Amino acid sequence: MTTPGYQVADVPAQWPVASSAEKYQGRIVSVRVDTIRSPDGNTAEREVVTHPGAVGVVALDESGPAPRVLMIRQYRHPVGRLLWELPAGLRDVAGEPLLRTGRRELLEETGYRAACWDLLVDYFSSPGIITERLRVFLARGPELVPASERDFVPENEEAHLLVDWVPLDEAVRLALLVSCIMALR
């Protein structure tokens, strides 16, 4: 239920920061502690992880009898799991437009390019703690790029990716199932 007089829309806002202290600076993220002042004058400490953001790609193949989505299985050390995910990557090239980042990540992680690109969603992954903003593109008309035309050499976890096409309805079912299981834990 909405409060009368308010539209359901995110809006920029910034409560005053009484103090801020950087606690850690890494290659990708930094951590700081901000003391913020609420509109009623109270203060609270908030830990903030600063992250450059990322781009994800839903590569959709609609050429067969049923649509399918391109997914990767990648080792994720923080959670100690091999996870099935959409191809995605950091916004780690200064000034690179987000669409170009999506195209680059799709090619680097899967060896595919796509003919048609649309914005699917733009969201904050965990806004209570981290500044990471994730933009997800829908990429249609995928085409495998010959290895001789690729200039990216995978290393670390990316050297061990498994790439596979998953029926779209199965991918959606599994995503919803995983969400329900995680909510029950």
Side-chain angles (χ1 to χ4, degrees):
M1 175 158 210
T2 61
T3 305
Y6 287 94
Q7 290 183 339
V8 179
D10 297 336
V11 295
Q14 186 70 47
W15 288 2
V17 177
S19 66
S20 186
E22 185 171 86
K23 300 295 184 179
Y24 171 78
Q25 176 64 52
R27 185 177 60 82
I28 297 170
V29 300
S30 62
V31 179
R32 71 177 192 265
V33 176
D34 289 348
T35 302
I36 60 172
R37 188 170 310 282
S38 64
D40 62 7
N42 290 324
T43 60
E45 282 193 351
R46 295 292 177 256
E47 295 171 351
V48 179
V49 178
T50 303
H51 186 284
V55 171
V57 180
V58 177
L60 190 62
D61 178 12
E62 301 167 291
S63 66
R68 47 188 202 149
V69 63
L70 190 58
M71 297 189 72
I72 62 169
R73 188 184 76 179
Q74 184 171 6
Y75 173 68
R76 294 300 191 176
H77 181 73
V79 295
R81 298 195 184 306
L82 288 166
L83 298 178
W84 282 98
E85 307 174 342
L86 296 172
L90 293 172
R91 295 175 56 188
D92 56 358
V93 176
E96 183 177 57
L98 296 180
L99 179 56
R100 185 173 299 150
T101 304
R103 288 181 170 153
R104 176 175 53 81
E105 289 296 338
L106 181 64
L107 181 60
E108 288 176 0
E109 292 192 346
T110 70
Y112 280 83
R113 63 180 158 226
C116 181
W117 289 76
D118 294 295
L119 174 61
L120 191 59
V121 67
D122 197 21
Y123 68 96
F124 292 100
S125 61
S126 187
I129 188 82
I130 190 166
T131 63
E132 179 185 32
R133 187 175 198 153
L134 186 63
R135 174 155 299 171
V136 181
F137 290 99
L138 175 61
R140 290 188 165 114
E143 172 190 6
L144 185 61
V145 175
S148 62
E149 294 179 29
R150 300 182 217 160
D151 61 1
F152 177 73
V153 178
E155 40 184 46
N156 302 319
E157 290 91 347
E158 288 182 341
H160 304 279
L161 292 179
L162 178 63
V163 178
D164 202 0
W165 287 99
V166 177
L168 179 60
D169 59 348
E170 179 71 1
V172 170
R173 186 187 70 76
L174 290 171
L176 294 174
L177 179 64
V178 168
S179 295
C180 289
I181 290 171
M182 295 306 287
L184 295 173
R185 290 187 173 182

